[in-house]
Amino acid sequence: MKLKWIFAPILLVLLGVALWQIDLAALWHSLLQIPLWLIILLPLLQIASQLLVNLQWYAISNSSGVRIRFWRMFYVNCQGAVVDSITPGVKVGGEVTRAVRLRQEADCSTEQAVAVVAVQKMFSFAAFFAISLLAVGYIIAEIPHLWAALAGVLAIIALATLAAYIFRRKLRTFFRTLREQVETLKQNRKLLAGLILLSLVIWIMYPVKLCLLVAQVSSISIFHVAAVTFAAYMVAMLPIFPGGLGGFEGTMSSLLLTFGVAVGDAVAVTIVFRFVTFWFVMILALGVLAVNKSISFRLVPKKRRDNDKQN
């Protein structure tokens, strides 16, 4: 059994024990403090985040010569989001799914599809780490163990880079395609600046959502909230927990407690934030996939469906 599948159940059990010790009445009281307008606003902000991410994918794909419609790209991203939720760590499974589906939908080469995925991850991770270093650096003296999470994520990137270097000959075609796409982006400075700005906006929206939640139950610095957000995502990126489950919730709750948020309030904020940014996204993605399948089923003639069943 792989090590990650040993740690995941242990952490979930510990999380269950922690929840068992929480005063459920206090937790329920904390949940009731969150106003209805915010419960409605947060999913809308998350939908906006998903659309912005899709816009980034769409812009990168089309600038690279991989032609695909905006909503078909959204469909591809929904498939990737579902796989992301069941694969551990840095969403490798979801990106593989996106590359495969992008190749099929856009009718492009495997190298082109993989290069598009790599370019999007390059922009996304660059913005994530830039903001994370600023946020975590602000409170690193108060919580020294945040270095462990940062070191873990950096170690993963280093290992991935080393693996790419070792297999560089086999990946020669991919890297050539990737370099061509990067050169194309460098020539279009407006698009390059737009993609960088888009990545920053997408990631900044996450601490903004958490700030709106925390403000209902406590008053802590916006920089502390940003640090809590990105520290939790750093831990979630470690390839141990499917979808980052357990590690994300435990990190966010414990850091909120460190900054003086009451136990019930910290757990309530974490539950709502995680639902909006994880479970709601998965429900939305499954809904899109179900609707697409239903529409496709209706468009296929009955005679053809009967023939497919017989075959």
Side-chain angles (χ1 to χ4, degrees):
M1 181 181 289
K2 293 183 178 180
L3 194 60
K4 60 190 176 187
W5 298 116
I6 296 175
F7 280 125
I10 293 174
L11 193 101
L12 289 175
V13 169
L14 293 175
L15 188 63
V17 171
L19 290 173
W20 181 264
Q21 296 176 343
I22 290 172
D23 185 346
L24 295 180
L27 174 60
W28 181 247
H29 176 72
S30 298
L31 288 171
L32 290 178
Q33 291 186 56
I34 301 173
L36 180 61
W37 67 265
L38 186 56
I39 297 297
I40 296 173
L41 177 61
L42 289 175
L44 292 177
L45 288 175
Q46 187 60 38
I47 291 174
S49 296
Q50 298 304 122
L51 291 175
L52 288 176
V53 171
N54 193 70
L55 177 62
Q56 187 179 55
W57 279 95
Y58 174 76
I60 293 172
S61 298
N62 283 274
S63 68
S64 305
V66 179
R67 302 298 176 187
I68 184 172
R69 289 176 296 172
F70 181 86
W71 291 112
R72 292 311 295 175
M73 188 71 248
F74 189 71
Y75 172 68
V76 169
N77 270 320
C78 285
Q79 290 180 309
V82 172
V83 178
D84 281 339
S85 66
I86 58 176
T87 52
V90 288
K91 302 186 176 183
V92 175
E95 305 315 335
V96 171
T97 300
R98 287 180 176 90
V100 172
R101 293 299 300 151
L102 182 60
R103 180 179 62 81
Q104 296 171 348
E105 293 287 341
D107 193 23
C108 61
S109 67
T110 300
E111 290 77 14
Q112 284 179 306
V114 174
V116 167
V117 172
V119 170
Q120 196 279 334
K121 289 299 103 181
M122 179 177 65
F123 280 105
S124 181
F125 278 122
F128 173 78
F129 285 113
I131 299 174
S132 295
L133 289 174
L134 290 174
V136 175
Y138 177 77
I139 59 164
I140 201 67
E142 301 176 45
I143 313 177
H145 63 262
L146 283 182
W147 281 113
L150 180 60
V153 177
L154 293 177
I156 292 172
I157 295 176
L159 289 173
T161 304
L162 179 61
Y165 178 78
I166 293 173
F167 296 102
R168 64 189 184 282
R169 292 184 179 179
K170 294 183 180 180
L171 298 173
R172 185 174 297 171
T173 303
F174 157 69
F175 279 117
R176 183 170 61 248
T177 306
L178 177 61
R179 185 176 61 184
E180 291 172 356
Q181 293 194 8
V182 172
E183 289 298 328
T184 301
L185 287 172
K186 287 171 63 178
Q187 293 173 6
N188 191 339
R189 294 186 178 180
K190 288 185 178 179
L191 177 60
L192 183 62
L195 291 172
I196 294 172
L197 179 62
L198 197 55
S199 293
L200 292 171
V201 170
I202 290 167
W203 279 112
I204 288 172
M205 286 181 72
Y206 284 92
V208 167
K209 285 173 251 184
L210 187 60
C211 276
L212 290 172
L213 271 172
V214 172
Q216 308 307 313
V217 297
S218 182
S219 57
I220 62 175
S221 166
I222 187 174
F223 295 103
H224 287 162
V225 173
V228 168
T229 306
F230 290 106
Y233 275 109
M234 283 181 184
V235 174
M237 285 184 178
L238 298 176
I240 298 176
F241 320 105
L245 289 174
F248 180 95
E249 290 82 357
T251 302
M252 177 167 284
S253 297
S254 62
L255 289 178
L256 287 173
L257 286 171
T258 302
F259 293 129
V261 180
V263 176
D265 293 340
V267 175
V269 166
T270 300
I271 289 173
V272 175
F273 182 82
R274 190 57 162 161
F275 173 79
V276 171
T277 59
F278 182 81
W279 296 108
F280 174 73
V281 172
M282 187 167 64
I283 293 169
L284 177 66
L286 288 172
V288 170
L289 297 183
V291 170
N292 182 81
K293 187 174 183 179
S294 176
I295 294 174
S296 300
F297 182 81
R298 292 179 182 178
L299 292 177
V300 175
K302 185 177 184 300
K303 183 180 293 185
R304 180 178 169 184
R305 294 201 301 267
D306 294 338
N307 290 337
D308 291 340
K309 290 180 179 178
Q310 292 176 1
N311 295 331

